[in-house]
């Protein structure tokens, strides 16, 4: 059981470049989200989705774009990378709170470490 | 808005010492509370949770009690091991129907042999 899979695990970009962080889950979760983790800041929510075709902004959405065309995939796009986007990015998913199977637990990927020079 | 404040580390203990990591929260209504753990180089994983006042969550020797009167969810373990070295995050899920989690800043624990 793969769970939540993120790729790539490491990436170095130059300022102004664009890239996509991939996230896929095989648990049939409705809810998917992206967080960034920075020293002393904890985890901050970037974007989230409650189902295919539905996305919404989190706490720190600027500079990022998302789409949710399928239940399984939730890619995060950096449109024009900036040094301030150097961080570790985590994708997380869960069942909808409206499902009986929801336990409140978020399942996390292993993270993608991004450095912007 | 909803927020979580947890004890900032780092915390360094000797093996078999008692651990407490404080966590307090601000939220409207009745949030669910969680502790997540992040081992080096890995993603976060759920350690324990509590969904209503006076509930006690427990797992792997760790415990935390949901105290509504003090808006707290402190993490405790009676005897820590070297393998408990990790970063611990307190989190809450706010209003009913929302899957979003709000995290504290994390507390790094190092346990020395």
């Amino acid at each position: 059981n793969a769970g939540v899979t993120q790729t790539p695990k490491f990436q170095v970009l130059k300022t102004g470049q664009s890239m996509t962080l991939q996230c896929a889950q095989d648990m049939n979760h409705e809810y998917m989200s992206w967080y960034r983790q920075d020293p002393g800041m904890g985890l901050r929510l970037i974007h989230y989705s409650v189902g295919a075709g539905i996305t919404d902004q989190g706490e720190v959405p600027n500079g990022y774009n998302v789409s949710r065309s399928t239940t399984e995939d939730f890619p995060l796009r950096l449109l024009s990378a900036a040094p301030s986007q150097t961080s570790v990015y985590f994708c997380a998913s869960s069942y909808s709170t409206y499902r009986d199977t929801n336990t409140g637990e978020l399942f996390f990927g292993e993270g993608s470490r991004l450095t912007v020079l | 808005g909803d927020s979580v404040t947890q004890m900032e580390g780092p915390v360094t203990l000797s093996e078999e010492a008692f651990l407490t990591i404080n966590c307090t929260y601000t939220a409207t209504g009745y949030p669910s509370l969680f502790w997540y753990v992040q081992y080096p180089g890995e993603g976060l994983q759920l350690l324990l949770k509590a969904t209503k006042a006076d509930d006690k969550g427990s797992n792997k020797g760790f415990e935390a009690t949901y105290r509504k009167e003090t808006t707290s969810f402190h993490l405790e373990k009676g005897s820590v091991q070297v393998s408990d070295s990790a970063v611990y995050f307190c989190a809450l899920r706010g209003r009913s129907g929302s899957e979003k989690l709000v995290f504290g800043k994390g507390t790094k624990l190092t346990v020395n042999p």
Side-chain angles (χ1 to χ4, degrees):
Chain A
N1 194 352
V4 179
T5 303
Q6 291 183 234
T7 57
K9 286 187 168 41
F10 301 94
Q11 183 71 47
V12 179
L13 290 178
K14 295 181 179 178
T15 296
Q17 288 184 317
S18 62
M19 77 156 298
T20 299
L21 299 177
Q22 301 290 344
C23 175
Q25 54 89 12
D26 62 359
M27 296 173 282
N28 203 27
H29 286 166
E30 293 87 356
Y31 178 80
M32 296 186 74
S33 57
W34 278 101
Y35 287 87
R36 58 177 290 173
Q37 182 180 24
D38 301 293
M41 302 294 290
L43 277 81
R44 293 180 291 171
L45 183 64
I46 304 172
H47 285 286
Y48 64 97
S49 168
V50 298
I54 305 169
T55 63
D56 208 343
Q57 297 181 350
E59 182 184 356
V60 288
N62 292 340
Y64 306 95
N65 202 357
V66 292
S67 60
R68 183 97 180 268
S69 56
T70 67
T71 300
E72 294 79 19
D73 300 298
F74 191 46
L76 178 71
R77 297 182 185 85
L78 281 71
L79 308 173
S80 177
S84 61
Q85 293 178 302
T86 294
S87 187
V88 180
Y89 292 86
F90 287 99
C91 180
S93 70
S94 76
Y95 289 115
S96 164
T97 55
Y98 296 106
R99 288 183 60 165
D100 292 340
T101 45
N102 179 277
T103 61
E105 179 177 1
L106 266 185
F107 292 82
F108 282 80
E110 293 186 347
S112 298
R113 182 176 294 274
L114 175 67
T115 301
V116 183
L117 302 175
Chain B
D2 297 343
S3 66
V4 173
T5 302
Q6 67 179 98
M7 185 172 96
E8 294 195 24
V11 174
T12 303
L13 296 173
S14 298
E15 207 165 23
E16 299 185 2
F18 184 86
L19 169 71
T20 299
I21 301 177
N22 290 338
C23 172
T24 57
Y25 68 89
T26 301
T28 55
Y30 302 93
S32 296
L33 301 173
F34 305 83
W35 277 100
Y36 279 79
V37 58
Q38 182 182 30
Y39 298 105
E42 299 183 9
L44 281 72
Q45 54 186 277
L46 180 66
L47 180 60
L48 54 84
K49 68 175 184 179
T51 57
K52 60 183 187 296
D54 299 325
D55 267 3
K56 177 186 284 188
S58 61
N59 187 24
K60 299 181 181 179
F62 291 89
E63 293 182 341
T65 301
Y66 188 163
R67 301 288 188 198
K68 188 162 178 62
E69 63 275 13
T70 54
T71 62
S72 65
F73 193 54
H74 305 319
L75 182 68
E76 296 182 336
K77 186 174 185 182
S79 176
V80 294
Q81 306 300 312
V82 172
S83 57
D84 293 327
S85 297
V87 181
Y88 292 83
F89 292 91
C90 186
L92 71 81
R93 190 177 73 189
R95 63 176 178 84
S96 177
S98 172
E99 296 88 349
K100 289 191 289 182
L101 287 189
V102 175
F103 286 87
K105 294 184 178 181
T107 302
K108 183 176 181 180
L109 170 66
T110 301
V111 181
N112 294 319

